[in-house]
Amino acid sequence: MVLNWIDQAPRRVLALISAACVAMLAFGMYLQHVVGLDPCPMCIVQRYALIGVAVFAALGSLRNSRGWWMGWAVAGVAAAGFGAFVAARQSWLQWYPPEIVTCGRDFYGMIENYPISRAVPMIFRGSGDCTKIDWTFLGGSIANWTFLAFVAFGLVMLVMLVRGLRPSSRLRAAAA
């Protein structure tokens, strides 16, 4: 049933993924500005990946052309994969924190003061902020839940792509 819905309404699926990403971003803003949790450098990178997934999925949902939505779904899968990688790295750092915890620079301080070739490894190395767990839901941290969301978004778009590459049912009926 779900696969039929994906086949019949890929634009709606992409719009739903985009809306879910926007809801997650809004929740992140709530946690930051109302609850008072400061995002670490890896959290900010995950936000950018989430924005990428939202934008790519929204763009894919704009037109009914199969090539159009498939192209944007490929970009969405790439953004979701990158976000899942960053979230998995942060989850790993939270489960196995480094022996020497430093609070390091913030994301913008790294980008402004170092060349990009030096700033990117610093971000993924993680800081003391990245190992801290400020909020949990059902035993999982924000990084754990974000990882699951990125994997779910990526898998749904991947299923859409694989099923979209199959010849349409009209073509199969004509060939038979």
Side-chain angles (χ1 to χ4, degrees):
M1 181 170 140
V2 173
L3 292 177
N4 288 336
W5 186 63
I6 289 174
D7 287 340
Q8 293 170 357
R11 293 175 57 204
R12 287 184 186 160
V13 173
L14 288 171
L16 185 63
I17 288 172
S18 182
C21 289
V22 169
M24 288 179 65
L25 287 165
F27 183 67
M29 292 292 120
Y30 167 79
L31 288 176
Q32 180 178 353
H33 296 291
V34 176
V35 177
L37 302 180
D38 289 326
C40 70
M42 294 178 105
C43 296
I44 293 170
V45 172
Q46 289 171 58
R47 281 187 187 177
Y48 286 132
L50 202 55
I51 289 168
V53 172
V55 167
F56 296 145
L59 287 170
S61 70
L62 292 178
R63 287 184 43 200
N64 203 18
S65 168
R66 184 164 73 165
W68 174 266
W69 66 257
M70 286 183 73
W72 288 113
V74 167
V77 168
F82 175 71
F85 168 76
V86 176
R89 174 71 177 141
Q90 184 177 6
S91 294
W92 189 84
L93 285 171
Q94 289 173 346
W95 292 330
Y96 306 105
E99 293 195 21
I100 300 173
V101 177
T102 63
C103 284
R105 292 180 167 267
D106 66 338
F107 178 77
Y108 298 106
M110 289 181 204
I111 299 297
E112 289 175 359
N113 295 318
Y114 294 101
I116 197 77
S117 62
R118 232 176 121 202
V120 170
M122 288 171 68
I123 292 168
F124 290 109
R125 197 172 307 124
S127 65
D129 296 334
C130 294
T131 61
K132 191 165 94 174
I133 299 174
D134 292 326
W135 180 90
T136 60
F137 178 70
L138 297 175
S141 70
I142 296 171
N144 303 146
W145 287 107
T146 306
F147 171 77
L148 291 175
F150 278 125
V151 168
F153 297 150
L155 284 176
V156 168
M157 287 187 283
L158 201 57
V159 166
M160 287 175 57
L161 289 168
V162 168
R163 294 184 69 87
L165 288 174
R166 296 179 318 161
S168 70
S169 58
R170 283 179 274 162
L171 292 174
R172 281 183 290 199

